[in-house]
Amino acid sequence: MEMVLRALAIYLILLLVFKVAGRRALLQMTSFDLILLLIISEATQQALLGNDFSVTGAMLTIITLVTADILFGLMKKYISGAEAVMDGTPVILVENGIPLMDKLQKVDVSCDDILVAARQSQGITELGKIKYAILERSGHISIIPAEG
């Protein structure tokens, strides 16, 4: 039972940490982010397993984590507003070529990040040619080009 409680606690802590870190953390992974992720995974393993290195303990931990993930998925599906709380909502970052600075600061995205997404997805090199830039729940920036 201790292993189940450990797994649930670590799952909830990681959800909270990545919620606080924001979608920007999911947007681009630098070498620093990769190193941090590796360190987090090692620390998480130690916290999950403690002194129990048995196959049974590992299986119980995995089953607990997958079950918790399924339950959170069901909550998002059936409880109104749960998805917005857990995953956030899309955020408009640029409207008619004008960056919305308060929203950019809130989600920690720069105009350079938007231009990278615009170049990669639409071949756009100027903010003025963007009708909307939207930070999606996934951390991806969607670009809708201005007409004409």
Side-chain angles (χ1 to χ4, degrees):
M1 186 62 171
E2 177 190 348
M3 191 152 299
V4 170
L5 294 176
R6 281 178 186 250
L8 285 173
I10 294 298
Y11 185 87
L12 293 173
I13 287 169
L14 287 174
L15 275 177
L16 180 65
V17 165
F18 283 107
K19 179 73 174 170
V20 169
R23 290 177 269 182
R24 173 76 167 84
L26 302 173
L27 184 61
Q28 304 172 13
M29 186 170 282
T30 64
S31 56
F32 174 78
D33 296 326
L34 178 61
I35 292 167
L36 185 61
L37 187 60
L38 290 171
I39 292 169
I40 289 171
S41 67
E42 181 64 26
T44 301
Q45 177 191 5
Q46 294 296 319
L48 286 173
L49 298 177
N51 292 326
D52 183 353
F53 296 105
S54 67
V55 173
T56 306
M59 288 190 311
L60 184 58
T61 300
I62 291 166
I63 290 168
T64 301
L65 292 172
V66 171
T67 302
D69 192 54
I70 290 169
L71 290 174
F72 276 104
L74 290 172
M75 285 173 59
K76 288 190 255 185
K77 185 175 182 180
Y78 293 110
I79 297 174
S80 177
E83 186 170 23
V85 169
M86 290 184 208
D87 294 338
T89 57
V91 178
I92 297 174
L93 303 174
V94 173
E95 189 170 4
N96 297 317
I98 300 168
L100 305 175
M101 298 310 290
D102 57 327
K103 292 183 180 180
L104 286 168
Q105 290 173 350
K106 182 179 178 184
V107 296
D108 192 26
V109 172
S110 69
C111 289
D112 287 340
D113 294 329
I114 294 169
L115 285 172
V116 166
R119 284 192 303 271
Q120 290 176 342
S121 67
Q122 300 288 331
I124 295 173
T125 58
E126 300 171 28
L127 284 175
K129 295 181 180 179
I130 298 173
K131 182 171 184 172
Y132 293 106
I134 303 165
L135 180 63
E136 304 292 352
R137 291 178 179 168
S138 65
H140 174 77
I141 298 175
S142 297
I143 303 295
I144 300 170
E147 296 164 4

